[in-house]
Amino acid sequence: MSFTRERAWELLTEYNKEPFHLRHAITVEQVMDWYARELGYGEEAEFWSLVGLLHDLDFEMWPEEHCIKSQELMRQAGMDEALVHATASHGWGHRVDVKPEHEMEKVLYACDELTGLIGAAALMRPSKSVSDMELKSLKKKFKDKKFAAGCSRDVIAQGAQLLGWELDELLERTLKAMQDTEEQIETAVSALG
């Protein structure tokens, strides 16, 4: 792949400074890598990871043009069209008409909001960690519309449908992904200074 993680990180941090947004990018990067390996796309894991890392490239500076401005920025940076399409597709139905086609795009669409919900739920725990979180606890938070209200339950549910999964399967797998990658996420986040 011609576009390295290092170059992707430079591009991301050119337009994103908020620790919250950088943590989210790193989290989705790790979760996408986990899903690539889990679903049998191990040889494409690097690409899946880059899509996760860059999916919100434009969100901090251009929230009103989210998933639109990013396409322009990525093309200017000489990124592959597959990367441009994949990242834009998570805004399908509410930002852009770019529909998630590949399984990887459907995973991004389904787990982007969900990683935010799981992360918020982890902060409410005494451990501040996902390591001891159980599915039933996550389901309770998912059903409580007031909790992490910015995380769209509709998008998460629609993502599960796109994948042909039950909602519980999506919740369980994404929680497992975050548990399995928590150490890598925390290491990368702590390196931000």
Side-chain angles (χ1 to χ4, degrees):
M1 182 182 301
S2 58
F3 213 86
T4 63
R5 196 235 182 234
E6 188 179 20
R7 234 176 115 214
W9 182 255
E10 284 170 14
L11 189 66
L12 179 71
T13 53
E14 186 177 336
Y15 303 111
N16 292 269
K17 310 293 181 202
E18 287 288 325
F20 177 84
H21 292 142
L22 295 174
R23 171 184 272 279
H24 177 65
I26 290 165
T27 300
V28 179
E29 171 191 30
Q30 291 294 328
V31 166
M32 290 298 289
D33 180 78
W34 184 92
Y35 265 115
R37 295 169 199 288
E38 176 76 6
L39 298 175
Y41 296 93
E43 70 287 349
E44 295 173 35
E46 188 182 355
F47 182 73
W48 285 50
S49 297
L50 286 179
V51 169
L53 186 67
L54 293 169
H55 78 286
D56 280 348
L57 177 65
D58 58 4
F59 188 75
E60 189 174 312
M61 290 179 73
W62 299 277
E64 297 307 313
E65 294 178 73
H66 182 41
C67 296
I68 299 163
K69 184 72 176 175
S70 61
Q71 295 178 60
E72 179 191 321
L73 298 172
M74 288 180 175
R75 287 185 181 113
Q76 283 171 357
M79 287 190 169
D80 189 272
E81 272 307 307
L83 196 56
V84 176
H85 185 279
T87 55
S89 72
H90 86 281
W92 174 63
H94 54 278
R95 293 289 184 174
V96 292
D97 291 332
V98 182
K99 187 173 183 186
E101 303 291 346
H102 185 281
E103 189 167 18
M104 173 264 299
E105 295 172 341
K106 294 173 184 177
V107 168
L108 175 65
Y109 184 88
C111 76
D112 173 32
E113 298 276 321
L114 183 50
T115 61
L117 182 78
I118 294 170
L123 291 176
M124 303 300 289
R125 303 181 71 74
S127 66
K128 304 279 187 238
S129 168
V130 293
S131 63
D132 56 354
M133 189 184 298
E134 292 179 7
L135 178 61
K136 72 173 191 238
S137 161
L138 175 58
K139 284 168 69 171
K140 217 171 177 173
K141 295 291 189 197
F142 182 87
K143 286 179 184 147
D144 178 1
K145 303 282 193 256
K146 290 187 188 101
F147 178 78
C151 297
S152 171
R153 273 64 167 175
D154 292 343
V155 167
I156 296 167
Q158 193 170 16
Q161 282 183 327
L162 276 174
L163 286 161
W165 298 353
E166 291 296 324
L167 180 60
D168 278 10
E169 182 181 358
L170 175 64
L171 296 177
E172 189 169 20
R173 281 180 145 180
T174 306
L175 175 59
K176 174 103 170 77
M178 287 182 68
Q179 289 170 336
D180 289 354
T181 60
E182 186 171 44
E183 198 176 316
Q184 295 94 296
I185 292 166
E186 293 308 324
T187 300
V189 168
S190 65
L192 297 175

